Amino acid sequence: MVDVSSIPPLSSFHWPGRSGEPDPAKPTLHNRIVDCAVYVDGRRLWEHCTYQNALAEVRERGQGFVWLGLWEPSMQMMTDVANTFGLHALAAEDAVHARQRPKLERYDDILFLVLRTVQYHEHELNTVAEIVDTGEIMVFTGPDFVITVRHGDHSQLAGVRKALESDPAQLALGPGAVLHSVADHVVDTYVSVTADIEEDVDAMEEEVFTPANKLQIEAIYQLKREVVELRRAVKPLALPLQVLTHDTTLPLPKEIRRYLRDVTDHHTAVTEQILDFNESLSALINAALAKVSVQQNMDMRKISAYAAMAAVPTMIAGVYGMNFDFMPELRSHYGYPIVIAVMLVLCGILYVNFHRNKWL
């Protein structure tokens, strides 16, 4: 485990304004800070500040809070942030190393919430391709600060910040308002992705139950695997949301807990829908396997019918090929046409019977 106190803090630097995405041309350290701002009474005060100066300004005023946005920070940078804001070393380490399960942890008056983000990829039906991409957002909330740490290219929060800044009354509720907005944004993406997945499941159902369609079972297995990945990202968030909604001992305003109830309701609906997808795809796999089995039986019937029809002339030709001297019509002038006619008649009778029984 990394000891926060053993690593010297980084020197202060100035972040030149706001941006939606990091600029790869700038130094690596600067790439990690997306935005840093001071908010008092729901309004943004500073456009250019380091997080050290921003936190000092808030604590000198005795009101407002700092919102620091980070994107895939290094351990060195996260250690300096932890030293500045008083974050626990375990939480700081989790914020650096992604692939965390959704969870909620409390360190005295600081909350640490982990959310998994999802993104839907457009793809062709009946193709084996990645459909759902996942990332992470970590949110630290304290009495006078909120820190959002993003992992993944699709987990942008610029729209969330802009929406909150346009609603000062909501932002004036403090860091809890940011936590609610981030959670609401993530759950809204769940709703959007599940709607896209639902279209895929419906299209797959139509494909499976349409007669004479060539079925790609691999595509069904791929879609089911993506639904399982989606479920692993979404379902574990239920417990943290329940705690945030019902635990009155948490350092969250009562009004924020009311807003979080709506987020919890949406998350519950999405979770149930994902479970329905899983059951539907399991049924589709069984139906597809049954369809393949029926098709194989039909193929075997056709092969058996053609083999039976081929056996008749083979048997007759084999009998007449045994070179016996005394055989019916062996020396007859019409013997050959008669044998050929008998073969055709017998094969015709077999064909009619097989066709009537739907073997051909």
Side-chain angles (χ1 to χ4, degrees):
M1 188 62 59
V2 178
D3 184 4
V4 174
S5 60
S6 64
I7 302 179
L10 302 176
S11 58
S12 299
F13 60 93
H14 291 278
W15 176 247
R18 303 172 59 186
S19 64
E21 284 296 324
D23 184 359
K26 294 179 180 177
T28 303
L29 181 60
H30 287 190
N31 280 349
R32 306 306 173 184
I33 296 183
V34 179
D35 200 356
C36 179
V38 174
Y39 296 91
V40 177
D41 294 329
R43 300 190 181 279
R44 185 184 181 109
L45 296 186
W46 287 5
E47 286 291 338
H48 307 279
C49 62
T50 65
Y51 53 83
Q52 297 93 337
N53 293 339
L55 185 62
E57 173 69 16
V58 167
R59 291 180 175 174
E60 182 179 349
R61 286 173 173 267
Q63 59 178 339
F65 66 93
V66 179
W67 183 355
L68 172 64
L70 303 176
W71 179 71
E72 297 184 359
S74 65
M75 191 66 225
Q76 183 184 21
M77 181 178 188
M78 198 64 211
T79 299
D80 186 63
V81 171
N83 285 332
T84 302
F85 291 91
L87 307 180
H88 196 279
L90 292 175
E93 185 179 12
D94 286 344
V96 174
H97 303 293
R99 312 305 298 177
Q100 301 288 326
R101 284 174 59 87
K103 63 180 180 179
L104 175 67
E105 294 179 350
R106 180 177 182 179
Y107 300 92
D108 298 326
D109 57 351
I110 297 177
L111 296 180
F112 176 51
L113 176 65
V114 178
L115 306 106
R116 294 290 298 276
T117 60
V118 295
Q119 183 184 34
Y120 178 83
H121 292 288
E122 295 292 340
H123 62 284
E124 295 291 334
L125 186 64
N126 277 338
T127 58
V128 179
E130 185 179 18
I131 301 174
V132 177
D133 187 23
T134 60
E136 287 182 39
I137 296 179
M138 289 90 162
V139 184
F140 296 88
T141 59
D144 52 10
F145 67 86
V146 58
I147 303 171
T148 54
V149 182
R150 294 170 34 226
H151 289 269
D153 295 330
H154 64 273
S155 56
Q156 293 90 346
L157 294 176
V160 175
R161 188 185 289 261
K162 184 176 180 180
L164 276 175
E165 289 178 353
S166 65
D167 187 5
Q170 179 75 6
L171 197 55
L173 294 175
V178 178
L179 184 145
H180 159 260
S181 294
V182 172
D184 186 51
H185 167 71
V186 171
V187 173
D188 282 346
T189 61
Y190 293 166
V191 174
S192 177
V193 170
T194 51
D196 293 329
I197 294 291
E198 184 177 17
E199 293 181 2
D200 288 341
V201 173
D202 291 342
M204 195 68 72
E205 286 179 346
E206 183 177 356
E207 190 78 9
V208 169
F209 294 110
T210 298
N213 268 4
K214 187 175 181 181
L215 189 63
Q216 299 290 339
I217 298 182
E218 294 83 1
I220 304 179
Y221 279 113
Q222 175 69 16
L223 183 57
K224 184 174 176 63
R225 190 189 73 83
E226 297 297 324
V227 168
V228 170
E229 183 176 356
L230 180 62
R231 184 188 64 192
R232 289 176 179 172
V234 173
K235 188 177 180 181
L237 185 59
L239 182 58
L241 289 178
Q242 289 292 334
V243 174
L244 287 171
T245 303
H246 296 98
D247 191 349
T248 58
T249 64
L250 294 178
L252 284 175
K254 184 177 181 180
E255 189 66 19
I256 295 299
R257 290 201 301 272
R258 289 174 178 171
Y259 283 120
L260 285 169
R261 291 175 190 168
D262 182 64
V263 178
T264 303
D265 291 341
H266 291 170
H267 179 268
T268 301
V270 169
T271 302
E272 293 175 352
Q273 193 171 13
I274 293 174
L275 294 177
D276 290 341
F277 292 159
N278 193 44
E279 294 177 0
S280 297
L281 289 173
S282 296
L284 279 182
I285 290 174
N286 293 333
L289 292 176
K291 187 175 181 179
V292 170
S293 179
V294 169
Q295 185 61 45
Q296 290 176 343
N297 289 337
M298 293 294 296
D299 293 340
M300 288 302 300
R301 285 183 178 184
K302 290 181 179 180
I303 294 172
S304 300
Y306 286 120
M309 293 167 60
V312 171
T314 302
M315 181 188 67
I316 295 176
V319 170
Y320 277 89
M322 291 189 293
N323 296 323
F324 291 112
D325 289 335
F326 302 101
M327 296 183 69
E329 306 297 334
L330 186 62
R331 300 186 183 278
S332 172
H333 181 72
Y334 299 102
Y336 179 75
I338 291 174
V339 171
I340 296 297
V342 170
M343 290 181 182
L344 293 176
V345 169
L346 291 177
C347 289
I349 293 173
L350 289 175
Y351 178 83
V352 170
N353 287 331
F354 286 139
H355 187 73
R356 183 180 301 169
N357 293 319
K358 296 182 179 180
W359 281 44
L360 290 175

